[in-house]
Amino acid sequence: MANAQENLPTAQSALQWVRVGNAKQFEFTKSAPVIKPSEIGDNQVLIENHAVSLNPVDYKMATVNFANVKLPAVTGYDVSGRVVAVGKDVQSFKVGDEVFGLLNLDSSNGGGALQQYSVGEAEALAKKPVSISHEDASTLGVAFLSAMDGLRQVNIDSTTSVFIPGGSGGVGHFSVQIAQIRGAKQVITSASKDDGIKILKEQYKVNDVINHGKENVVDRVLELTEGQGVNVVYDSTYLPSSFEKSTRVVKEGGSWIVLGRFGQEGSAEANNVAERKANLVHADIARYWFGPERAQLTTLVHDALLQGAKWMEDGKLKPYINKVIKLEDAENALHDIMQGKGGFGKIVVKIL
C-alpha cells in the first residue's frame, strides 16, 4: 500500500496526447484524471510537478508511439517537483521530498510530465538540492542524460579535441559544458544564429565557434586542428547533412557519437565513420527503459543526475533556459521545437 499525502485532487490540468500522427496529437484539458496512490507501482512515486523541460522526443513520441503507449496519455519526460505518494518498496524517497529526473518513456498509467501530477520510477529520480531551482533541475533530463550517455563512452582529458555540431541545442549545449568540465584540450562547436554564437562564446567561453550557415564546417575544423581533425565528434543534430560533414573531421582511431537510431549498419554515416577508421558510438537513453540495459538504469541515470546537480551547485554546469512558459502554452512550444524554432538551450514549463 502506497504512503500518500492526504486530499490529493482527482482531476488535473494536462496536455493530453490523444492521437498518434503528424497533426492534432495533443489536447489541453483541465479535467485529466490523477492516478490514485493505490494504483502506483511498488517502486514508483507520484510527483506534484513544479517544472518540466521540453525535448524533441516529446513530439516524436506522439508522432510514432515507439513505446506503444496506451492513449490517452501524456508525453514529456523531464521533471522536477515534490513527492506526494510513494510505492511500498520505495526506500529512497518519502512524501514531501523534492525530486528531479527522468520519467519512463512508456508513459502509460499516469506517466508523462506535461500534467500537474506524474508517476515516476524511483530509480530514475534523485533528491533536488535546495540551492537549485525546480526550473534548472528540470533540465537535467533527456538532453543532459543524452549528453552524458554519449560522452561517458569516450575518453576525454587534456589531450582530447572535441567537435560538437549544434552547440546551441539542448544536448549540444550540455555536451559542450561536459567536455569542458572533463578537461578537453580543445572544444569546437557550431551554430548558425548570431545570438547563439554570442552565448556560446561569452557565457560558455567556447573560443572556437563555427557559423555553419556561412562557413565551411569541414575546412574550419581542420584549420582549427592544424589539419589533424578531432578525437571526438558528438553530432546531436539529427541532420544527415550535418552527419556528412562531421564524419569527415574525426581522426583515425577517434570516436563519432550520434543520438538514437541514427548510425545503423549500412547507413551513410556509419559507412563514413568506417572509412575514417573511427569508432561509431551510440547515445540512446531509450535503451535504459526498453533494452537489456534496464538493469543499469540506477547506476547510469541516477548517478548522472547526481553528478549534474553537483556540477550545478559548483557553478560548473549552467543550463540555458530561453523561455519559461505555462502548461497551456506547451503545445505551441513543441510545435516551435519541431520546426527548429525552439531557441538556444531549453524551454521550461512552469507548473507551480
Side-chain angles (χ1 to χ4, degrees):
M1 181 68 181
N3 180 29
Q5 174 183 306
E6 294 182 2
N7 301 318
L8 290 174
T10 58
Q12 62 176 330
S13 295
L15 183 64
Q16 282 198 308
W17 170 22
V18 295
R19 61 183 62 87
V20 177
N22 292 307
K24 299 182 178 179
Q25 306 102 317
F26 302 106
E27 291 179 1
F28 180 77
T29 178
K30 293 185 178 181
S31 58
V34 177
I35 193 169
K36 297 177 182 177
S38 60
E39 296 174 346
I40 68 174
D42 293 344
N43 292 295
Q44 294 180 325
V45 300
L46 183 61
I47 305 164
E48 175 190 70
N49 299 332
H50 289 219
V52 172
S53 75
L54 302 180
N55 298 282
V57 71
D58 301 352
Y59 68 78
K60 290 180 180 180
M61 181 69 79
T63 302
V64 298
N65 196 7
F66 62 82
N68 296 315
V69 179
K70 182 180 178 181
L71 302 189
V74 173
T75 68
Y77 309 99
D78 299 1
V79 68
S80 183
R82 185 175 66 88
V83 174
V84 294
V86 295
K88 71 179 183 66
D89 292 338
V90 175
Q91 301 294 319
S92 48
F93 306 115
K94 64 182 185 302
V95 171
D97 284 344
E98 294 191 329
V99 298
F100 71 101
L102 181 70
L103 300 185
N104 197 326
L105 296 183
D106 180 355
S107 59
S108 305
N109 302 316
L114 289 170
Q115 55 188 340
Q116 290 176 291
Y117 293 88
S118 298
V119 173
E121 311 292 333
E123 60 191 332
L125 300 168
K127 289 183 180 179
K128 185 186 76 67
V130 175
S131 61
I132 298 175
S133 69
H134 283 290
E135 289 84 355
D136 281 350
S138 74
T139 67
L140 293 176
V142 170
F144 172 73
L145 293 170
S146 295
M148 289 287 277
D149 187 45
L151 294 175
R152 71 174 178 82
Q153 300 178 68
V154 298
N155 179 65
I156 297 178
D157 58 28
S158 60
T159 68
T160 309
S161 53
V162 182
F163 174 44
I164 299 165
S168 60
V171 178
H173 93 296
F174 280 128
S175 297
V176 164
Q177 295 178 76
I178 293 166
Q180 292 172 325
I181 291 167
R182 290 180 56 186
K185 176 182 72 173
Q186 183 178 28
V187 177
I188 304 168
T189 189
S190 67
S192 62
K193 296 180 180 177
D194 290 342
D195 58 345
I197 292 170
K198 183 177 181 182
I199 292 167
L200 286 162
K201 288 186 172 182
E202 294 183 1
Q203 181 158 336
Y204 294 111
K205 310 301 181 186
V206 184
N207 293 323
D208 300 324
V209 183
I210 299 167
N211 185 328
H212 62 241
K214 298 179 179 179
E215 300 178 275
N216 183 302
V217 171
V218 175
D219 288 350
R220 281 293 288 140
V221 173
L222 293 176
E223 179 184 336
L224 290 166
T225 57
E226 299 179 344
Q228 297 298 306
V230 296
N231 304 107
V232 175
V233 174
Y234 190 167
D235 195 324
S236 62
T237 64
Y238 300 105
L239 298 172
S241 59
S242 177
F243 300 163
E244 191 277 329
K245 298 168 187 172
S246 67
T247 52
R248 291 161 57 194
V249 300
V250 62
K251 285 183 180 181
E252 180 177 333
S255 296
W256 187 81
I257 309 168
V258 69
L259 276 173
R261 300 178 185 274
F262 293 106
Q264 298 300 312
E265 185 176 354
S267 66
E269 58 269 20
N271 292 339
N272 289 349
V273 173
E275 287 177 13
R276 300 289 296 182
K277 298 181 180 178
N279 304 302
L280 197 155
V281 177
H282 287 96
D284 182 10
I285 60 171
R287 60 187 168 185
Y288 299 116
W289 291 116
F290 307 128
E293 293 89 348
R294 177 62 190 258
Q296 304 174 46
L297 188 71
T298 301
T299 302
L300 295 177
V301 173
H302 184 263
D303 288 358
L305 293 172
L306 293 177
Q307 181 65 81
K310 180 67 166 60
W311 283 338
M312 273 193 188
E313 286 186 293
D314 293 343
K316 295 178 180 179
L317 186 76
K318 299 175 183 177
Y320 192 93
I321 299 172
N322 72 73
K323 191 185 301 182
V324 178
I325 62 174
K326 297 177 181 179
L327 181 58
E328 50 263 45
D329 298 321
E331 183 176 6
N332 288 336
L334 288 175
H335 191 258
D336 287 343
I337 293 172
M338 183 171 59
Q339 294 186 316
K341 299 176 182 178
F344 193 105
K346 302 290 294 177
I347 295 174
V348 168
V349 180
K350 184 174 174 60
I351 298 177
L352 275 180

